[in-house]
Amino acid sequence: MTVTRAYHHGDLPRALLAAAVAAIEESGPAALSLRDLARRAGVSHAAPTHHFGDKAGLLTALAVEGFDLLAAALTAAGDDLLDVGVAYVDFAVSHRAHFEVMFRPDLYRADTPEVRAARERAGAALHLGVAALPPHRAEPGESRTDALAAWSIVHGFATLWLSGALPPDIDADPRAAARTVIRHLIPPP
Amino acid sequence: MTVTRAYHHGDLPRALLAAAVAAIEESGPAALSLRDLARRAGVSHAAPTHHFGDKAGLLTALAVEGFDLLAAALTAAGDDLLDVGVAYVDFAVSHRAHFEVMFRPDLYRADTPEVRAARERAGAALHLGVAALPPHRAEPGESRTDALAAWSIVHGFATLWLSGALPPDIDADPRAAARTVIRHLIPPP
DNA sequence: ATCGTATCTTTACGTTGACAAGAAAGCGAT
DNA sequence: ATCGCTTTCTTGTCAACGTAAAGATACGAT
């Protein structure tokens, strides 16, 4: 006799991560409860701990998944810095649970090799967009601060939007507002 | 006989806020424990709850204090957008506990009138720096996105630095790096 | 001196993360 | 088939946490 479950046997980790995303989108990563996740998945209270070691382990897995998703989204956006920047903000908006965890290293183990590798993949994808910029300034090392400025402006816009600090009319269409904001950084041709 | 205490009688709230700042700087706002604060202040575990109602109440007070400190720092920086921007980053670096709480509205009551007022004071101070920019573009409503772009780039740089996402050489002198980054936003005269 | 209030303590309850030990199911080797 | 090993999950337990209620103590105004 087969037991009816919400997940295929052996796929508890995936189900738990999905439940964690839903829970974080509801009430933030600080209020995440392992026992609540177990309840949602219909397993005992200690099942999550077995698969992820502890709470930080679960959030580490979520962060890795997030950096990989971000890398894929940025790569798919192409070479234009404007498109890549909008894709960054779009990722934060449409994957806010992942994004909120990714940049809160006190919640997980950010120094794991897997996390480091996934983060570097995302960073490389972001740099591709910056590299397509015309080298209008001849100063050495300028492209590095170019990248840092681009990263800062899209990351700042994304986190401000996530924290609800932006006025309501921007809340309505963050992607369009992001495009306008990023344009301020790119010199007119 | 007078009892030796770490704080003047009646100043427990201040002592608790100071202890909270120290605790958050050590291990982040998520790991903050009211009972730990009480231990540090030498009072019973329920004393913090009396003064702040609950944990969110304490963090609300901390956020209000933070927005006021930020407003003061930005005002003191003057009218130049570059200076104001660097002051924003400098505030995040030198008051990281306040800053981390301020932009995490799921941890406190961000819709309180006091919080709202303090946040608007800080916003007004930031806008002063943007208003000093030359109106080089004649498009209507441009100054609003100017402000948003400026806020985004300094906020993004600050949060990236706080989350440890920036390379080590930038960690060493974030203020200088911030100045370089902000310059990317300001058109050369 | 007394009353009222603010300040803190004591006690208690439900929830949480973590740990340890055990049950149960899959699985390859024999 | 069945033995032994591993993975998966359950059960039981513990200390720590946030919160609430009620009692104790001190302060200040009258």
Short mmCIF file of all heavy atoms in Angstrom, two decimals, chain A residues 8-75:
data_model
loop_
_atom_site.label_atom_id
_atom_site.label_comp_id
_atom_site.label_asym_id
_atom_site.label_seq_id
_atom_site.Cartn_x
_atom_site.Cartn_y
_atom_site.Cartn_z
N HIS A 8 7.05 13.23 -4.03
CA HIS A 8 7.58 11.90 -4.35
C HIS A 8 8.58 11.49 -3.30
O HIS A 8 9.29 12.31 -2.73
CB HIS A 8 8.26 11.93 -5.73
CG HIS A 8 7.27 11.79 -6.84
ND1 HIS A 8 5.95 11.46 -6.64
CD2 HIS A 8 7.41 11.93 -8.17
CE1 HIS A 8 5.33 11.41 -7.79
NE2 HIS A 8 6.20 11.70 -8.75
N HIS A 9 8.65 10.22 -3.06
CA HIS A 9 9.57 9.71 -2.06
C HIS A 9 11.00 10.10 -2.43
O HIS A 9 11.44 9.94 -3.56
CB HIS A 9 9.47 8.18 -1.98
CG HIS A 9 10.31 7.61 -0.90
ND1 HIS A 9 9.95 7.68 0.44
CD2 HIS A 9 11.49 6.99 -0.93
CE1 HIS A 9 10.88 7.11 1.16
NE2 HIS A 9 11.83 6.67 0.36
N GLY A 10 11.71 10.64 -1.45
CA GLY A 10 13.08 11.07 -1.68
C GLY A 10 13.20 12.50 -2.17
O GLY A 10 14.30 13.01 -2.30
N ASP A 11 12.08 13.15 -2.39
CA ASP A 11 12.11 14.54 -2.85
C ASP A 11 11.72 15.53 -1.76
O ASP A 11 11.32 16.65 -2.04
CB ASP A 11 11.19 14.72 -4.06
CG ASP A 11 11.86 14.24 -5.34
OD1 ASP A 11 13.04 13.84 -5.27
OD2 ASP A 11 11.20 14.27 -6.39
N LEU A 12 11.86 15.08 -0.52
CA LEU A 12 11.52 15.98 0.58
C LEU A 12 12.32 17.28 0.53
O LEU A 12 11.76 18.35 0.74
CB LEU A 12 11.74 15.27 1.92
CG LEU A 12 10.69 15.43 3.01
CD1 LEU A 12 11.33 15.29 4.37
CD2 LEU A 12 9.96 16.76 2.93
N PRO A 13 13.64 17.22 0.29
CA PRO A 13 14.40 18.48 0.24
C PRO A 13 13.80 19.51 -0.71
O PRO A 13 13.65 20.67 -0.33
CB PRO A 13 15.78 18.02 -0.23
CG PRO A 13 15.89 16.62 0.26
CD PRO A 13 14.51 16.05 0.19
N ARG A 14 13.43 19.07 -1.91
CA ARG A 14 12.84 20.02 -2.85
C ARG A 14 11.55 20.60 -2.31
O ARG A 14 11.29 21.80 -2.41
CB ARG A 14 12.56 19.34 -4.19
CG ARG A 14 13.79 19.21 -5.06
CD ARG A 14 13.48 18.38 -6.31
NE ARG A 14 14.70 17.95 -6.97
CZ ARG A 14 15.32 18.68 -7.91
NH1 ARG A 14 14.80 19.83 -8.28
NH2 ARG A 14 16.43 18.24 -8.47
N ALA A 15 10.71 19.72 -1.75
CA ALA A 15 9.44 20.19 -1.20
C ALA A 15 9.66 21.18 -0.07
O ALA A 15 8.94 22.18 0.04
CB ALA A 15 8.62 18.99 -0.72
N LEU A 16 10.66 20.91 0.76
CA LEU A 16 10.93 21.81 1.88
C LEU A 16 11.43 23.17 1.39
O LEU A 16 11.04 24.21 1.92
CB LEU A 16 11.97 21.18 2.81
CG LEU A 16 11.46 19.99 3.64
CD1 LEU A 16 12.58 19.38 4.44
CD2 LEU A 16 10.33 20.45 4.57
N LEU A 17 12.30 23.16 0.38
CA LEU A 17 12.78 24.43 -0.15
C LEU A 17 11.63 25.24 -0.73
O LEU A 17 11.54 26.46 -0.53
CB LEU A 17 13.85 24.18 -1.22
CG LEU A 17 15.22 23.76 -0.69
CD1 LEU A 17 16.20 23.56 -1.84
CD2 LEU A 17 15.76 24.82 0.26
N ALA A 18 10.74 24.57 -1.45
CA ALA A 18 9.59 25.28 -2.02
C ALA A 18 8.71 25.84 -0.90
O ALA A 18 8.24 26.99 -0.99
CB ALA A 18 8.78 24.33 -2.90
N ALA A 19 8.51 25.06 0.14
CA ALA A 19 7.72 25.55 1.27
C ALA A 19 8.41 26.73 1.94
O ALA A 19 7.75 27.69 2.38
CB ALA A 19 7.49 24.42 2.28
N ALA A 20 9.73 26.68 2.01
CA ALA A 20 10.48 27.77 2.62
C ALA A 20 10.30 29.05 1.81
O ALA A 20 10.11 30.14 2.37
CB ALA A 20 11.96 27.41 2.73
N VAL A 21 10.36 28.93 0.50
CA VAL A 21 10.15 30.10 -0.36
C VAL A 21 8.78 30.71 -0.10
O VAL A 21 8.64 31.93 0.08
CB VAL A 21 10.29 29.71 -1.84
CG1 VAL A 21 9.78 30.82 -2.75
CG2 VAL A 21 11.74 29.39 -2.16
N ALA A 22 7.76 29.87 -0.04
CA ALA A 22 6.41 30.37 0.21
C ALA A 22 6.33 31.05 1.57
O ALA A 22 5.75 32.14 1.71
CB ALA A 22 5.42 29.22 0.12
N ALA A 23 6.93 30.43 2.59
CA ALA A 23 6.87 30.98 3.94
C ALA A 23 7.61 32.31 4.02
O ALA A 23 7.13 33.26 4.66
CB ALA A 23 7.46 29.98 4.94
N ILE A 24 8.77 32.40 3.37
CA ILE A 24 9.55 33.64 3.42
C ILE A 24 8.82 34.75 2.68
O ILE A 24 8.81 35.90 3.12
CB ILE A 24 10.95 33.41 2.82
CG1 ILE A 24 11.75 32.47 3.71
CG2 ILE A 24 11.68 34.71 2.62
CD1 ILE A 24 13.09 32.07 3.14
N GLU A 25 8.18 34.41 1.56
CA GLU A 25 7.45 35.45 0.84
C GLU A 25 6.28 35.97 1.66
O GLU A 25 5.84 37.11 1.48
CB GLU A 25 6.95 34.90 -0.50
CG GLU A 25 8.04 34.88 -1.56
CD GLU A 25 7.58 34.22 -2.85
OE1 GLU A 25 6.44 33.74 -2.88
OE2 GLU A 25 8.37 34.19 -3.82
N GLU A 26 5.79 35.14 2.57
CA GLU A 26 4.69 35.57 3.41
C GLU A 26 5.14 36.49 4.54
O GLU A 26 4.56 37.55 4.75
CB GLU A 26 3.98 34.36 4.02
CG GLU A 26 2.91 33.76 3.11
CD GLU A 26 2.20 32.59 3.79
OE1 GLU A 26 2.21 32.55 5.02
OE2 GLU A 26 1.66 31.73 3.07
N SER A 27 6.19 36.07 5.24
CA SER A 27 6.51 36.82 6.46
C SER A 27 8.00 37.00 6.69
O SER A 27 8.41 37.23 7.82
CB SER A 27 5.87 36.13 7.68
OG SER A 27 5.87 34.72 7.52
N GLY A 28 8.79 36.94 5.62
CA GLY A 28 10.20 37.27 5.77
C GLY A 28 11.04 36.12 6.26
O GLY A 28 10.53 35.19 6.89
N PRO A 29 12.34 36.16 5.98
CA PRO A 29 13.24 35.07 6.34
C PRO A 29 13.49 34.96 7.84
O PRO A 29 13.86 33.89 8.32
CB PRO A 29 14.53 35.41 5.60
CG PRO A 29 14.45 36.86 5.35
CD PRO A 29 13.02 37.23 5.27
N ALA A 30 13.29 36.04 8.58
CA ALA A 30 13.55 35.99 10.02
C ALA A 30 12.52 35.12 10.73
O ALA A 30 12.83 34.47 11.72
CB ALA A 30 13.55 37.41 10.60
N ALA A 31 11.31 35.10 10.20
CA ALA A 31 10.22 34.37 10.87
C ALA A 31 10.12 32.94 10.40
O ALA A 31 9.17 32.24 10.77
CB ALA A 31 8.90 35.10 10.64
N LEU A 32 11.08 32.49 9.62
CA LEU A 32 11.00 31.12 9.09
C LEU A 32 11.16 30.09 10.22
O LEU A 32 12.06 30.19 11.04
CB LEU A 32 12.10 30.91 8.05
CG LEU A 32 12.09 29.57 7.35
CD1 LEU A 32 10.85 29.43 6.49
CD2 LEU A 32 13.33 29.40 6.50
N SER A 33 10.29 29.09 10.21
CA SER A 33 10.32 28.06 11.25
C SER A 33 10.42 26.68 10.61
O SER A 33 9.60 26.31 9.77
CB SER A 33 9.05 28.16 12.10
OG SER A 33 8.68 26.90 12.60
N LEU A 34 11.44 25.95 11.03
CA LEU A 34 11.63 24.60 10.49
C LEU A 34 10.41 23.73 10.77
O LEU A 34 9.98 22.94 9.93
CB LEU A 34 12.88 23.97 11.09
CG LEU A 34 14.23 24.52 10.62
CD1 LEU A 34 15.35 23.69 11.20
CD2 LEU A 34 14.30 24.53 9.12
N ARG A 35 9.87 23.85 11.96
CA ARG A 35 8.72 23.02 12.33
C ARG A 35 7.51 23.36 11.48
O ARG A 35 6.69 22.49 11.16
CB ARG A 35 8.43 23.21 13.82
CG ARG A 35 9.55 22.65 14.70
CD ARG A 35 9.31 22.97 16.18
NE ARG A 35 8.92 21.79 16.94
CZ ARG A 35 9.74 21.13 17.75
NH1 ARG A 35 10.98 21.54 17.90
NH2 ARG A 35 9.32 20.07 18.40
N ASP A 36 7.40 24.62 11.10
CA ASP A 36 6.31 25.02 10.24
C ASP A 36 6.47 24.39 8.85
O ASP A 36 5.50 23.90 8.26
CB ASP A 36 6.28 26.54 10.14
CG ASP A 36 4.89 27.07 9.81
OD1 ASP A 36 3.93 26.62 10.46
OD2 ASP A 36 4.79 27.90 8.90
N LEU A 37 7.68 24.39 8.35
CA LEU A 37 7.94 23.77 7.06
C LEU A 37 7.56 22.30 7.10
O LEU A 37 6.94 21.77 6.17
CB LEU A 37 9.42 23.91 6.68
CG LEU A 37 9.94 25.32 6.46
CD1 LEU A 37 11.38 25.27 5.96
CD2 LEU A 37 9.07 26.06 5.48
N ALA A 38 7.96 21.63 8.18
CA ALA A 38 7.63 20.22 8.32
C ALA A 38 6.12 20.01 8.32
O ALA A 38 5.61 19.09 7.67
CB ALA A 38 8.24 19.68 9.61
N ARG A 39 5.42 20.89 9.02
CA ARG A 39 3.96 20.80 9.05
C ARG A 39 3.39 20.94 7.66
O ARG A 39 2.50 20.18 7.24
CB ARG A 39 3.41 21.90 9.98
CG ARG A 39 2.90 21.38 11.31
CD ARG A 39 2.57 22.54 12.24
NE ARG A 39 3.67 22.81 13.19
CZ ARG A 39 4.08 24.01 13.55
NH1 ARG A 39 3.52 25.09 13.03
NH2 ARG A 39 5.07 24.13 14.42
N ARG A 40 3.88 21.91 6.90
CA ARG A 40 3.37 22.12 5.54
C ARG A 40 3.62 20.92 4.66
O ARG A 40 2.82 20.59 3.77
CB ARG A 40 4.03 23.35 4.91
CG ARG A 40 3.71 24.66 5.58
CD ARG A 40 4.13 25.80 4.67
NE ARG A 40 4.15 27.08 5.38
CZ ARG A 40 3.87 28.24 4.80
NH1 ARG A 40 3.59 28.28 3.52
NH2 ARG A 40 3.90 29.36 5.49
N ALA A 41 4.76 20.26 4.86
CA ALA A 41 5.10 19.13 4.00
C ALA A 41 4.48 17.83 4.52
O ALA A 41 4.57 16.79 3.85
CB ALA A 41 6.61 18.98 3.90
N GLY A 42 3.89 17.86 5.70
CA GLY A 42 3.25 16.67 6.23
C GLY A 42 4.23 15.65 6.78
O GLY A 42 3.96 14.45 6.76
N VAL A 43 5.35 16.11 7.28
CA VAL A 43 6.34 15.20 7.87
C VAL A 43 6.57 15.59 9.33
O VAL A 43 6.04 16.59 9.80
CB VAL A 43 7.67 15.24 7.09
CG1 VAL A 43 7.50 14.61 5.72
CG2 VAL A 43 8.19 16.65 6.99
N SER A 44 7.38 14.82 10.00
CA SER A 44 7.62 15.10 11.42
C SER A 44 8.50 16.33 11.58
O SER A 44 9.15 16.78 10.65
CB SER A 44 8.29 13.90 12.08
OG SER A 44 9.66 13.90 11.77
N HIS A 45 8.53 16.84 12.80
CA HIS A 45 9.20 18.12 13.03
C HIS A 45 10.70 18.07 12.83
O HIS A 45 11.34 19.09 12.65
CB HIS A 45 8.87 18.61 14.44
CG HIS A 45 9.39 17.71 15.53
ND1 HIS A 45 10.62 17.87 16.09
CD2 HIS A 45 8.86 16.61 16.12
CE1 HIS A 45 10.82 16.94 17.00
NE2 HIS A 45 9.76 16.15 17.04
N ALA A 46 11.27 16.87 12.87
CA ALA A 46 12.73 16.75 12.77
C ALA A 46 13.19 16.35 11.38
O ALA A 46 14.39 16.24 11.14
CB ALA A 46 13.22 15.74 13.79
N ALA A 47 12.27 16.14 10.46
CA ALA A 47 12.67 15.73 9.12
C ALA A 47 13.54 16.77 8.40
O ALA A 47 14.56 16.41 7.80
CB ALA A 47 11.43 15.39 8.29
N PRO A 48 13.20 18.05 8.46
CA PRO A 48 14.06 19.04 7.78
C PRO A 48 15.50 19.01 8.29
O PRO A 48 16.44 19.12 7.50
CB PRO A 48 13.38 20.37 8.11
CG PRO A 48 11.95 20.04 8.34
CD PRO A 48 11.97 18.68 8.99
N THR A 49 15.66 18.85 9.59
CA THR A 49 17.00 18.85 10.16
C THR A 49 17.85 17.72 9.58
O THR A 49 19.05 17.87 9.39
CB THR A 49 16.93 18.72 11.68
OG1 THR A 49 15.94 19.62 12.17
CG2 THR A 49 18.26 19.04 12.32
N HIS A 50 17.22 16.58 9.33
CA HIS A 50 17.99 15.46 8.79
C HIS A 50 18.60 15.81 7.44
O HIS A 50 19.76 15.51 7.18
CB HIS A 50 17.10 14.23 8.65
CG HIS A 50 17.68 13.16 7.78
ND1 HIS A 50 18.78 12.41 8.17
CD2 HIS A 50 17.35 12.75 6.55
CE1 HIS A 50 19.08 11.58 7.20
NE2 HIS A 50 18.24 11.75 6.20
N HIS A 51 17.83 16.46 6.58
CA HIS A 51 18.28 16.70 5.21
C HIS A 51 19.24 17.88 5.10
O HIS A 51 20.12 17.89 4.25
CB HIS A 51 17.09 16.93 4.30
CG HIS A 51 16.30 15.70 4.02
ND1 HIS A 51 16.70 14.74 3.12
CD2 HIS A 51 15.14 15.25 4.53
CE1 HIS A 51 15.82 13.76 3.10
NE2 HIS A 51 14.86 14.03 3.93
N PHE A 52 19.08 18.86 5.96
CA PHE A 52 19.88 20.08 5.81
C PHE A 52 20.81 20.33 6.99
O PHE A 52 21.48 21.36 7.01
CB PHE A 52 18.96 21.29 5.60
CG PHE A 52 18.15 21.22 4.33
CD1 PHE A 52 16.82 20.84 4.34
CD2 PHE A 52 18.74 21.54 3.11
CE1 PHE A 52 16.08 20.78 3.18
CE2 PHE A 52 18.00 21.48 1.94
CZ PHE A 52 16.67 21.10 1.96
N GLY A 53 20.83 19.43 7.95
CA GLY A 53 21.71 19.62 9.09
C GLY A 53 21.11 20.55 10.12
O GLY A 53 20.87 20.16 11.25
N ASP A 54 20.89 21.78 9.72
CA ASP A 54 20.23 22.74 10.61
C ASP A 54 19.59 23.83 9.76
O ASP A 54 19.59 23.76 8.53
CB ASP A 54 21.21 23.32 11.62
CG ASP A 54 22.39 24.00 10.95
OD1 ASP A 54 22.45 23.97 9.70
OD2 ASP A 54 23.23 24.56 11.64
N LYS A 55 19.07 24.83 10.44
CA LYS A 55 18.36 25.90 9.74
C LYS A 55 19.29 26.62 8.77
O LYS A 55 18.92 26.91 7.62
CB LYS A 55 17.80 26.88 10.78
CG LYS A 55 16.78 27.86 10.24
CD LYS A 55 16.22 28.67 11.40
CE LYS A 55 15.26 29.74 10.92
NZ LYS A 55 14.69 30.51 12.05
N ALA A 56 20.51 26.90 9.20
CA ALA A 56 21.47 27.58 8.33
C ALA A 56 21.75 26.73 7.09
O ALA A 56 21.96 27.26 6.00
CB ALA A 56 22.75 27.87 9.09
N GLY A 57 21.75 25.41 7.25
CA GLY A 57 21.97 24.54 6.11
C GLY A 57 20.88 24.66 5.07
O GLY A 57 21.15 24.70 3.86
N LEU A 58 19.66 24.72 5.51
CA LEU A 58 18.54 24.90 4.58
C LEU A 58 18.66 26.23 3.84
O LEU A 58 18.50 26.29 2.61
CB LEU A 58 17.22 24.84 5.34
CG LEU A 58 15.95 24.80 4.49
CD1 LEU A 58 14.90 23.92 5.16
CD2 LEU A 58 15.36 26.19 4.30
N LEU A 59 18.98 27.28 4.58
CA LEU A 59 19.10 28.59 3.94
C LEU A 59 20.31 28.65 3.02
O LEU A 59 20.31 29.37 2.02
CB LEU A 59 19.16 29.69 5.00
CG LEU A 59 17.87 29.85 5.80
CD1 LEU A 59 18.03 30.91 6.88
CD2 LEU A 59 16.71 30.21 4.88
N THR A 60 21.34 27.88 3.34
CA THR A 60 22.50 27.81 2.44
C THR A 60 22.09 27.21 1.10
O THR A 60 22.45 27.73 0.04
CB THR A 60 23.61 26.97 3.08
OG1 THR A 60 23.99 27.57 4.32
CG2 THR A 60 24.82 26.90 2.17
N ALA A 61 21.34 26.11 1.15
CA ALA A 61 20.86 25.51 -0.09
C ALA A 61 20.00 26.49 -0.88
O ALA A 61 20.11 26.58 -2.11
CB ALA A 61 20.06 24.24 0.23
N LEU A 62 19.18 27.25 -0.16
CA LEU A 62 18.33 28.23 -0.82
C LEU A 62 19.16 29.33 -1.48
O LEU A 62 18.85 29.79 -2.59
CB LEU A 62 17.37 28.83 0.19
CG LEU A 62 15.92 29.04 -0.25
CD1 LEU A 62 15.01 29.16 0.95
CD2 LEU A 62 15.80 30.27 -1.10
N ALA A 63 20.23 29.75 -0.81
CA ALA A 63 21.08 30.80 -1.36
C ALA A 63 21.79 30.31 -2.63
O ALA A 63 21.87 31.03 -3.63
CB ALA A 63 22.10 31.25 -0.31
N VAL A 64 22.29 29.08 -2.59
CA VAL A 64 22.96 28.54 -3.78
C VAL A 64 21.99 28.51 -4.96
O VAL A 64 22.30 28.96 -6.06
CB VAL A 64 23.50 27.12 -3.48
CG1 VAL A 64 23.97 26.45 -4.77
CG2 VAL A 64 24.64 27.18 -2.48
N GLU A 65 20.79 27.97 -4.70
CA GLU A 65 19.77 27.93 -5.74
C GLU A 65 19.50 29.34 -6.27
O GLU A 65 19.37 29.56 -7.48
CB GLU A 65 18.49 27.32 -5.16
CG GLU A 65 17.44 26.95 -6.17
CD GLU A 65 16.21 26.35 -5.48
OE1 GLU A 65 15.47 27.08 -4.80
OE2 GLU A 65 16.00 25.13 -5.63
N GLY A 66 19.46 30.31 -5.37
CA GLY A 66 19.19 31.69 -5.76
C GLY A 66 20.28 32.26 -6.66
O GLY A 66 19.99 32.88 -7.70
N PHE A 67 21.54 32.06 -6.29
CA PHE A 67 22.63 32.59 -7.10
C PHE A 67 22.64 31.95 -8.48
O PHE A 67 22.94 32.60 -9.49
CB PHE A 67 23.98 32.39 -6.39
CG PHE A 67 24.25 33.44 -5.34
CD1 PHE A 67 24.33 33.10 -4.01
CD2 PHE A 67 24.44 34.76 -5.69
CE1 PHE A 67 24.58 34.06 -3.03
CE2 PHE A 67 24.70 35.73 -4.73
CZ PHE A 67 24.76 35.38 -3.40
N ASP A 68 22.30 30.66 -8.54
CA ASP A 68 22.26 30.00 -9.84
C ASP A 68 21.12 30.55 -10.70
O ASP A 68 21.28 30.78 -11.90
CB ASP A 68 22.11 28.48 -9.65
CG ASP A 68 23.44 27.81 -9.39
OD1 ASP A 68 24.48 28.39 -9.79
OD2 ASP A 68 23.47 26.73 -8.77
N LEU A 69 19.96 30.73 -10.07
CA LEU A 69 18.83 31.32 -10.81
C LEU A 69 19.18 32.72 -11.30
O LEU A 69 18.84 33.09 -12.43
CB LEU A 69 17.59 31.37 -9.90
CG LEU A 69 16.91 30.03 -9.62
CD1 LEU A 69 15.82 30.19 -8.55
CD2 LEU A 69 16.31 29.46 -10.90
N LEU A 70 19.86 33.49 -10.46
CA LEU A 70 20.24 34.84 -10.85
C LEU A 70 21.21 34.81 -12.03
O LEU A 70 21.06 35.58 -13.00
CB LEU A 70 20.86 35.57 -9.66
CG LEU A 70 21.40 36.98 -9.93
CD1 LEU A 70 20.29 37.89 -10.44
CD2 LEU A 70 22.04 37.58 -8.68
N ALA A 71 22.19 33.92 -11.95
CA ALA A 71 23.16 33.81 -13.05
C ALA A 71 22.44 33.48 -14.35
O ALA A 71 22.73 34.05 -15.41
CB ALA A 71 24.20 32.75 -12.71
N ALA A 72 21.50 32.56 -14.28
CA ALA A 72 20.76 32.18 -15.49
C ALA A 72 19.95 33.36 -16.03
O ALA A 72 19.93 33.61 -17.24
CB ALA A 72 19.84 31.00 -15.18
N ALA A 73 19.31 34.10 -15.13
CA ALA A 73 18.48 35.23 -15.57
C ALA A 73 19.32 36.32 -16.21
O ALA A 73 18.95 36.90 -17.23
CB ALA A 73 17.70 35.78 -14.38
N LEU A 74 20.49 36.60 -15.60
CA LEU A 74 21.35 37.65 -16.15
C LEU A 74 21.92 37.23 -17.50
O LEU A 74 22.02 38.04 -18.43
CB LEU A 74 22.48 37.96 -15.16
CG LEU A 74 22.06 38.57 -13.82
CD1 LEU A 74 23.28 38.93 -12.99
CD2 LEU A 74 21.17 39.79 -14.02
N THR A 75 22.31 35.97 -17.60
CA THR A 75 22.85 35.48 -18.87
C THR A 75 21.80 35.56 -19.97
O THR A 75 22.08 35.96 -21.10
CB THR A 75 23.32 34.02 -18.70
OG1 THR A 75 24.29 33.97 -17.65
CG2 THR A 75 23.93 33.51 -19.99
#
